[in-house]
Amino acid sequence: GAVVSQHPSRVICKSGTSVKIECRSLDFQATTMFWYRQFPKKSLMLMATSNEGSKATYEQGVEKDKFLINHASLTLSTLTVTSAHPEDSSFYICSASRPGLAAPGQYFGPGTRLTVT
Amino acid sequence: TQLLEQSPQFLSIQEGENLTVYCNSSSVFSSLQWYRQEPGEGPVLLVTVVTGGEVKKLKRLTFQFGDARKDSSLHITAAQPGDTGLYLCAGASKSGGSNYKLTFGKGTLLTVNP
C-alpha cells in the first residue's frame, strides 16, 4: 500500500512556541492532504483539507491563524501550530488522498504526538 | 453535517467470542471505510465498501454495507488478542472535484482477553 510519513513522531515544546509537523506522501503525488486531531482513545477529528498550491480549507471551529497549513508540493504538506498552549497537546495525524480512484484512497501517516508544557 | 454513529464505543470480550460493530447514519455515503488503529499509530485501512448490500470478507472479519449505503457493520468471528485495537468507520463524501472527505465514527475500542 501507499506510504505516508510524518515528522517528527513526537515533539515536546514550551508554551508560546511554534511547532511544525511535516507530512509526506512517499510513493505517489497527493494533490490533497488532510490533517486530523485525535484525543486519547477517541476518534479522528478533521481539522483541515490541504490542497496543493492553494489555501487550505478549515473545518468549523478550527482557527486557521493558529494552525497554519502549507501544501507547497505534491508530496509535502506542513502543519504549524503557532503559539502553542497545553490544550493543543494531542495526536496529530495526516492523510494523503490518491486522486482518480473510484473509492477514496486516503492513506494515513503514523501520527505526531505533540506535548506542550 | 453528516454524522456517523458507531456502537458500541467499548467492547471487552474473551478470546474465541464473536462480535459485531455497527456504524449508522441518516446520510448516504458514496463509500464507507473501516480502519483499525493501534495506540500511537495512524489508522490502517481494512476495507472499503462501495455498493449497497456489498459484503466483503477479510479472514475472520466480515464487512457489510447497507442497501441504502447509510450503515455498515463489522463482524469478527472467533476474536483473538491480536484483534485488540480501535476500530473506526468512516463515510466518504465528495468535497469538490474528484476529492473525498471522510467523516469518522467515534470508534470502538475492542479488547480481546486471552
Side-chain angles (χ1 to χ4, degrees):
Chain A
V3 179
V4 174
S5 70
Q6 272 183 249
H7 177 81
S9 57
R10 290 178 179 272
V11 58
I12 300 172
C13 71
K14 291 190 176 179
S15 193
T17 61
S18 295
V19 174
K20 182 186 283 188
I21 303 170
E22 293 185 348
C23 178
R24 292 180 187 274
S25 59
L26 300 183
D27 56 356
F28 68 97
Q29 293 184 328
T31 52
T32 305
M33 289 183 171
F34 302 85
W35 286 96
Y36 296 85
R37 184 173 178 175
Q38 186 177 32
F39 292 101
K41 297 182 181 178
K42 299 291 184 183
S43 190
L44 279 71
M45 181 190 80
L46 179 64
M47 297 174 67
T49 302
S50 169
N51 300 298
E52 187 267 336
S54 64
K55 289 184 180 178
T57 305
Y58 290 82
E59 295 299 301
Q60 197 170 9
V62 178
E63 297 175 61
K64 60 181 180 182
D65 294 330
K66 180 167 184 61
F67 298 99
L68 300 178
I69 291 172
N70 183 274
H71 194 154
S73 79
L74 287 171
T75 58
L76 173 65
S77 175
T78 59
L79 167 68
T80 301
V81 182
T82 62
S83 187
H85 288 286
E87 56 264 32
D88 298 325
S89 298
S90 193
F91 194 50
Y92 292 88
I93 308 176
C94 72
S95 71
S97 181
R98 204 163 202 164
L101 294 182
Q106 278 197 34
Y107 300 92
F108 285 82
T112 296
R113 170 75 58 196
L114 170 64
T115 303
V116 185
T117 61
Chain B
T1 306
Q2 293 180 304
L3 292 173
L4 262 178
E5 297 290 334
Q6 190 173 340
S7 63
Q9 268 193 277
F10 302 95
L11 193 53
S12 180
I13 60 172
Q14 293 301 121
E15 182 175 1
E17 291 183 1
N18 302 331
L19 67 114
T20 303
V21 178
Y22 299 93
C23 211
N24 298 295
S25 175
S26 57
S27 305
V28 176
F29 292 101
S30 54
S31 66
L32 198 136
Q33 301 184 325
W34 284 92
Y35 293 85
R36 179 166 167 262
Q37 185 182 21
E38 303 218 18
E41 299 180 10
V44 174
L45 180 65
L46 296 174
V47 79
T48 298
V49 284
V50 180
T51 309
E54 184 175 2
V55 176
K56 279 192 174 177
K57 290 196 174 188
L58 188 66
K59 295 184 181 177
R60 293 176 293 101
L61 278 60
T62 302
F63 305 86
Q64 279 192 298
F65 201 14
D67 290 340
R69 290 189 292 140
K70 292 182 181 181
D71 54 85
S72 181
S73 64
L74 156 61
H75 183 79
I76 301 179
T77 304
Q80 297 175 3
D83 296 327
T84 294
L86 181 66
Y87 289 82
L88 297 157
C89 64
S93 51
K94 281 215 168 180
S95 64
S98 60
N99 293 318
Y100 290 84
K101 182 170 148 177
L102 291 182
T103 301
F104 278 86
K106 288 189 175 181
T108 296
L109 189 59
L110 171 66
T111 304
V112 182
N113 302 298

